[in-house]
Amino acid sequence: MILNSKIEGEGFPFIIIHGYMGMSDNWKSLATKYATQGFQIHALDLRNHGKSFHSDDFSYPAMVQDVVNYCAHHNITNAHFLGHSMGGKLVMFLAALYPQLINKLIVADIAPKYYTPHHQTIMAALNAVDFSAKPSRAEVDQIMSEYISDFGTKQFLLKNLYWVEPGQLGFRFNLDVFNKNPEAIGEQIPENTLFTGPTLFLRGDKSDYILDSDFADIHKHFPNAVIKDISNAGHWVHAENPEMFSHFVLDFLK
């Protein structure tokens, strides 16, 4: 099965990969912007996300193979890759296994290290929604508000609501699989990974996902990495400061 994607523009392939519980739609405005700069943008929906297929195998090796299959299907032999959060970890795994696929690599707000599961509050909010009671959008919003105070995080999650059929809402992502395997997305990249191509790490200056103490580890695996801070931004760097984010991305790719 081939991943769902939104393809826009003409030129050198530029593949954008969303984070955990995200989807290609999260990148809509930036993808449109990049498409005007001489790139053919491929914004992917990973397995168990967006409009892509659901699977009980939710692991980085499986997701890497999905991306490789996607590239083969679209006759892409070399591309720029941008991944945010889980998507950033995924493109690091891709660099470890298929470096020849990558021209330039951009990793947004994630380090190569292991992360302990830290989405417990979000998972509690999502699991509190009983879709068999046929709640309205407003009711789902209200239930999740009891767990999640941050407006941006809640809106990000609510984007996944869709009408399964008239009168019946559901989440696009595969919550059952996320519940079964909370450790999957925190995995560290293989110890012997070495990607020598041009690499850009972007971190939010208000985010704690990439610490100064992670720099040595980043440079060990990605010796040609440049690390830049996005000001006034937390973990959702591309959404919180899109201007600065885009400036760094386009400057790096040009």
Side-chain angles (χ1 to χ4, degrees), residues 29 31 39 88 93 103 116 136 149 171 183 189 206 215 232 237 251 253:
S29 54
F39 300 108
F93 272 87
N103 190 306
T116 53
S136 66
S149 57
F171 289 127
E183 296 272 344
I189 68 168
K206 294 178 179 172
F215 287 8
N232 302 312
V237 279
D251 193 50
L253 295 182

Side-chain angles (χ1 to χ4, degrees), residues 170-206:
F171 289 127
R172 286 203 184 277
F173 47 59
N174 189 344
L175 186 57
D176 288 345
V177 162
F178 299 165
N179 281 326
K180 283 178 200 152
N181 201 355
E183 296 272 344
I185 59 162
E187 203 181 327
Q188 75 180 66
I189 68 168
E191 192 51 47
N192 58 355
T193 299
L194 184 69
F195 178 73
T196 56
T199 308
L200 174 66
F201 278 77
L202 296 172
R203 67 170 182 170
D205 67 349
K206 294 178 179 172

